[in-house]
Structures are given as structure tokens and as C-alpha cells.
Amino acid sequence: MAKQKIKGSIWIDSLFATGFIYLFMYIVSNISAFQIFDAFDSIGQALEDMEMTDIAFSQLREPLPPDTSIVLVNFGPLDRQGIADQLKIIDKYKPKVIGIDSFFKGYGYGGTADDTLKTLYLSEVLTNIQAELVMVAKVDQTDSLAEIHAGEEVYDYLYLSDSMFIKNAHSAIANLDTDAEFQDDIKICRKFPPKREVLGTGEEYLAFAAKMAQLYDPSSTEPLLERDKDFEIINYRGDFVNFFDQSRFSTRFYALDWYQVLQEDFVPEIIEGKIVLFGYLGEEFGAAQWEDKFFTPLNTKIAGRANPDMFGPVIHANIVSMILNRDYVDSLTETQEIILGILLCYLNVLLFSYIYRNMGVWYDGATKLIQVIEVMLILFIIIQLFATVSFKLELSIGLFAVALAGDLLEVYYGVVRNVVMKLLDRVSKKKRKAPVTSE
């Protein structure tokens, strides 16, 4: 490339070039006919659900010792009578809080006299639990509201277990944020809503994990509510202790399998005064099972994930632990991220404009080298910030703009700027040629 001789302010040109780059990205992202990434579809599918902070979660952070304030209990294959027996046994060892991550329908369940008796038995046990009892609820949108507020965090329906089961219980929402539309879809869970309000009633419900933490330590939820965020990023720290799964993160929470509880094969001290969270953790520990599990950032296979890695109750246990330990993930606001991305792009364009104007023959090689080094450095900073201080820096759009800056700046100077300058020159000439009229 020959050395460029361009008149005009480099600062103004860089500003307009930055605007051109963001306009180009907006057009490409909104015109589906472009489909410019189809050639990389296999790579895209493998990486579409990955975030750079996943590397910090799964590779860089050291496992923490067990959080002894929480114990998980597996329902396994038990029916309602078996679950009721589990609850009676655990409750007699004086836990402070019992949480149940499951919904129960009423008398119509099963349809036989035996099922009715089991239902009544479970209802009686739940009503007489001595510990603080928390049962899950779910906020949802009715069809009429969904037509108006589809995709928005506005809800007018609260789904609960049958009233016979929740007489003695606190209700709290177990909604977890995933992009899955249906139960069988791939579910990737990174965040949760701390609270939600139900329209019409005006009632506000805490998240399931937040309610358990509040009952266990009332002061623990104050920082969560003061943060006042629609969603909190889950600061995952591990899975439950499992002899059959010796991954590096499988030592965070103690857990009892269904038969261990029924046989009372555990040390009473692990239950007394603790949070005991009941839920489905597979037919038994060690069983190869992928149903009712979520993908999380702790998944050891970062890209192109094959199997989900965590049951729902363990996700709630991670959230409880995060709240009790005041161990939150901080981040910039969306507006701050946009401003930072634009500033990052502008500084690159300013540097590349200087190279374009004064070092023309070096432009292609120099800009490509700078882009590679800069993107790698920024990604390193993003990962290290998350791994060391739990700060999530989201610069995806800004990084994309930086990656395009070198090539699109050439388009700006070679085409856009020249076209605009010629148009302005023609307008200026027409004004000069226009006859002057006098009254």
C-alpha cells in the first residue's frame, strides 16, 4: 500500500470511522440474509454456548473445601411414602432449614387408593416438620400477558404445590435462567433471579436459595437485596461429594443418597443446625444419567459440551453458598460495557489511522499484529479478573469491533470518506455557482 496523504483531523476521522464500524456490525447482525458465518457453522455450534469466564470456572480456580452449612439429600427413585420417611428421619436430627426442590400435586396423583394414602402421609409429614420448611414455587406468564410482555421479566402467575403440602412452608421461586424453551432442550444455567413480583397480587417472592439462606442467617440476604439486580451471576464453586465422580470440583457439598437416609447411615452432626436440601440427584449416586441436569461453567468440556454436569438442587446449593459467604460476581452495567467497547474501538481506530496516514506500506501487517496481541491480552485480563476477584468483564461487542477495525478502516478511508467528501464538494460548488438575487 502506498503512503497515504489524507487531509483533515485524525481525531474527527477516527470518530466517524468508529461510527461506521458499529453501523456495519448493526446492519450485519440485523440482516439475516447475510448469513456470513455459515462457513464456520460447526465451529459456531461448538462455541456458541461458551463464555471466556468458563475457563476461569473450570480450569483456573482452585476447589474450595466443603461448605458444611448445606447438606444435599437425594430423592432417587422413592415414591411419596419414601420421601415422607426421609423427611421424618432428617427432621428428628434438628436441621435448621429444610428445602424441597420438587412440586407435589394433590389427590389426583397416581389415581389409586394406595397413592391417595401416600399423598396424605406426605402431607401430614410436611405439615409437622419442625425445621423451617421452604418449598419451591415458579413464576410464569399467562398467555394473555405473554402476548404483551413476551421475553420480559413480568409475571402474573404463581405455580405452587397443592395447598395440602404447603400449610407449614415458605414458598420461594426456583426459576433458573436458561435459554431453553422446553424441558428437554439443552439448559445452560449461569444466573438466577433474586426475587420476582406477581402482578395483580403485588406479592414478592425470594429465590428458593435466597429464602433458605435468609432463614438460616437473616443478615446474609441483605447484601443480595441491596445489589437490586434483575439477575445475579451464579458464582459456582463445586458439586456434591460423590465417591463415584472424582472430578476436581466434586467435593463442595456433602450429600446423602436415598438409601443412606432411610438406613440412617450418616453422622447426626452433619444435619443438626444445617440447611438440608432435598431433590432429585439421579436414581442413585454414580448412575450414568443426563436427565434433569444442567450445563454449567464447571463443565470440564468447555466447548462442544457432550453431557450436562449438574443437577438442579446442586445449582441451588451453589447459590445458597454464594449468598451465605457474600461471594458475589460483580460486573459493569450494560451501558458501561457499551461505552467501554466504543472507547476501545475508537482508540484502536485512532492508532490505525495514524499508521494508515503515515506508514502506509506497514499498515496491513502492523494492524493485524496489534489486533492479535490486543485481543489475546484482553481475553487474558477478562479471565484473570474473573478467576482472582470474581469480576466479569463483558467486552464481546467491543472485541468484535476491534477485530473488524483494521479492514473496515481501509473501507472507510478508501470508499466512505471519499464518497462523502465528493458529495460535500459538489454541494459546495453548487452553492458557489448559484446566482445571487437582489431585491
Side-chain angles (χ1 to χ4, degrees), residues 91-145:
D91 191 47
K92 76 179 184 180
Y93 289 104
K94 302 182 187 297
K96 188 169 185 178
V97 180
I98 289 178
I100 302 179
D101 185 19
S102 181
F103 290 96
F104 298 107
K105 297 179 181 178
Y107 288 112
Y109 170 81
T112 68
D114 186 52
D115 291 321
T116 299
L117 290 174
K118 292 175 180 178
T119 295
L120 288 171
Y121 176 48
L122 177 60
S123 172
E124 180 186 359
V125 170
L126 287 169
T127 302
N128 291 293
I129 290 290
Q130 296 303 303
E132 294 283 2
L133 178 62
V134 185
M135 296 189 66
V136 290
K138 181 182 179 181
V139 289
D140 208 343
Q141 295 178 332
T142 57
D143 291 340
S144 58
L145 186 72

Side-chain angles (χ1 to χ4, degrees), residues 127-366:
T127 302
N128 291 293
I129 290 290
Q130 296 303 303
E132 294 283 2
L133 178 62
V134 185
M135 296 189 66
V136 290
K138 181 182 179 181
V139 289
D140 208 343
Q141 295 178 332
T142 57
D143 291 340
S144 58
L145 186 72
E147 290 180 6
I148 305 171
H149 295 286
E152 298 180 29
E153 299 303 319
V154 181
Y155 303 96
D156 62 345
Y157 179 73
L158 182 71
Y159 181 75
L160 297 162
S161 292
D162 191 89
S163 59
M164 65 189 303
F165 300 110
I166 58 176
K167 298 174 184 176
N168 185 36
H170 302 271
S171 294
I173 59 169
N175 296 61
L176 295 172
D177 184 69
T178 72
D179 293 328
E181 295 184 15
F182 304 100
Q183 180 64 22
D184 293 335
D185 290 349
I186 292 175
K187 296 173 288 188
I188 303 168
C189 186
R190 300 181 185 279
K191 53 189 179 179
F192 76 101
K195 59 183 180 180
R196 285 292 180 264
E197 181 180 331
V198 179
L199 293 179
T201 67
E203 292 184 87
E204 191 172 72
Y205 292 86
L206 284 179
F208 180 51
K211 190 63 182 179
M212 288 188 288
Q214 185 184 61
L215 293 170
Y216 181 79
D217 176 4
S219 66
S220 66
T221 52
E222 291 175 6
L224 172 70
L225 299 177
E226 287 172 359
R227 290 164 67 87
D228 196 28
K229 292 190 175 185
D230 277 344
F231 288 97
E232 283 284 354
I233 299 168
I234 302 172
N235 201 354
Y236 284 101
R237 289 308 179 99
D239 212 327
F240 64 92
V241 177
N242 186 351
F243 174 79
F244 302 96
D245 175 16
Q246 293 299 308
S247 68
R248 62 196 298 261
F249 291 107
S250 63
T251 57
R252 181 59 172 160
F253 305 105
Y254 292 134
L256 299 172
D257 212 342
W258 61 271
Y259 60 87
Q260 291 178 294
V261 176
L262 295 179
Q263 296 170 4
E264 300 190 43
D265 183 19
F266 55 86
V267 178
E269 286 73 22
I270 72 167
I271 300 297
E272 186 175 356
K274 307 299 176 59
I275 298 172
V276 181
L277 177 52
F278 287 77
Y280 184 75
L281 302 173
E283 290 297 297
E284 62 180 19
F285 294 167
Q289 183 171 339
W290 317 122
E291 296 179 6
D292 301 315
K293 296 183 81 171
F294 295 74
F295 289 99
T296 75
L298 294 185
N299 199 309
T300 53
K301 196 170 184 181
I302 298 173
R305 297 183 173 96
N307 297 314
D309 56 293
M310 190 173 289
F311 287 103
V314 190
I315 294 178
H316 291 299
N318 272 274
I319 300 171
V320 173
S321 182
M322 178 182 82
I323 295 171
L324 291 179
N325 290 285
R326 285 78 164 171
D327 189 18
Y328 295 100
V329 175
D330 292 310
S331 61
L332 299 176
T333 66
E334 185 176 353
T335 301
Q336 290 171 332
E337 289 172 354
I338 292 172
I339 293 172
L340 183 57
I342 293 173
L343 179 61
L344 182 65
C345 181
Y346 177 76
L347 292 175
N348 275 269
V349 169
L350 189 64
L351 174 61
F352 293 172
S353 291
Y354 176 83
I355 297 172
Y356 188 89
R357 290 169 178 242
N358 298 284
M359 304 166 58
V361 295
W362 292 90
Y363 182 81
D364 288 329

Side-chain angles (χ1 to χ4, degrees), residues 5-13 357 413 417 421:
K5 296 293 184 180
I6 299 174
K7 297 180 180 179
S9 169
I10 190 173
W11 300 92
I12 299 298
D13 272 328
R357 290 169 178 242
Y413 277 119
R417 188 179 188 277
M421 294 302 291

Side-chain angles (χ1 to χ4, degrees), residues 52 60 374-386:
M52 292 310 302
L60 299 182
E374 183 178 6
V375 169
M376 291 179 64
L377 180 61
I378 291 173
L379 292 178
F380 176 79
I381 291 172
I382 289 173
I383 293 169
Q384 288 299 320
L385 273 176
F386 194 88

